[in-house]
Amino acid sequence: MSDHEIVDSSFTAIINAPIEKIDIPKWCFTLSEQEYQGCSPAHIAAGFTTAPDGKRMSINVEIIGGSLMVQHYVETLGQKDHLILESVSDVFTPTGRTTIHVLWELSVKPIDSEKCEFTNHVRSKATEEFTTFLDRQGIPFDVFRAQRQPMSIAHNKGETPLFAASIERAALRT
């Protein structure tokens, strides 16, 4: 774990659909708010737009560990079986607003002709703004990281099978 890494969390789940029917970017960039909310009780809102450079962007709003997060996930890799999104996410805490960097990677690999393994991998790290935010409050980074990790990991663990089920539903509709 790097000095500024907050969490590195990865979970898998089974998708009962053939790999040929799965299109993770299409799922992500057409995900309805209701479908997003159904993937975690912490999910509040979702939408999609484009970044200033024209790349696709998924906007997700959720609460993790009591902090409201607005994530601006910009597509950095978009293949049917592999999507990487990067965000400088706004974090609203009781002591103010700051940002963290989040890398969200979703991928599938075939198990057999009818099933795939889905991986939901989330990595976050402190931005310079975030480090200053903690310093102003006298909070050591290691203390923050130790408190944040269990909440972020539990969130990822809970949403992974629900994301897999949502991707499966989308794949079987086509």
Side-chain angles (χ1 to χ4, degrees), residues 67-129:
S67 296
L68 179 72
M69 295 187 67
V70 179
Q71 297 155 328
H72 316 270
Y73 286 117
V74 177
E75 179 180 33
T76 60
L77 175 73
Q79 300 169 345
K80 287 178 79 168
D81 63 346
H82 194 185
L83 178 64
I84 299 176
L85 303 160
E86 210 168 329
S87 173
V88 175
S89 299
D90 295 303
V91 183
F92 298 85
T93 76
T95 56
R97 177 181 176 179
T98 188
T99 60
I100 62 170
H101 181 265
V102 183
L103 191 65
W104 184 25
E105 184 173 6
L106 304 102
S107 61
V108 290
K109 62 182 180 186
I111 294 173
D112 60 33
S113 64
E114 296 299 316
K115 279 193 249 173
C116 297
E117 181 182 73
F118 167 68
T119 301
N120 184 21
H121 188 186
V122 179
R123 289 167 280 197
S124 62
K125 64 181 181 180
T127 60
E128 194 172 309
E129 177 185 344

Side-chain angles (χ1 to χ4, degrees), residues 136-147:
R136 277 196 321 263
Q137 298 174 74
I139 300 170
F141 182 77
D142 289 345
V143 171
F144 168 81
R145 180 172 39 205
Q147 291 175 347

Side-chain angles (χ1 to χ4, degrees), residues 27-57:
W27 168 81
C28 180
F29 296 112
T30 61
L31 186 64
S32 73
E33 190 164 82
Q34 182 179 9
E35 189 78 12
Y36 176 72
Q37 290 168 343
C39 292
S40 172
H43 291 175
I44 297 168
F48 45 92
T49 187
T50 53
D53 64 2
K55 290 182 181 177
R56 293 187 288 187
M57 180 191 297

Side-chain angles (χ1 to χ4, degrees), residues 1 14 19 56 64 95 104 117 122 130 152 163 173:
M1 189 176 300
I14 300 300
I19 190 95
R56 293 187 288 187
I64 299 178
T95 56
W104 184 25
E117 181 182 73
V122 179
F130 187 79
S152 294
F163 278 151
R173 273 195 298 271

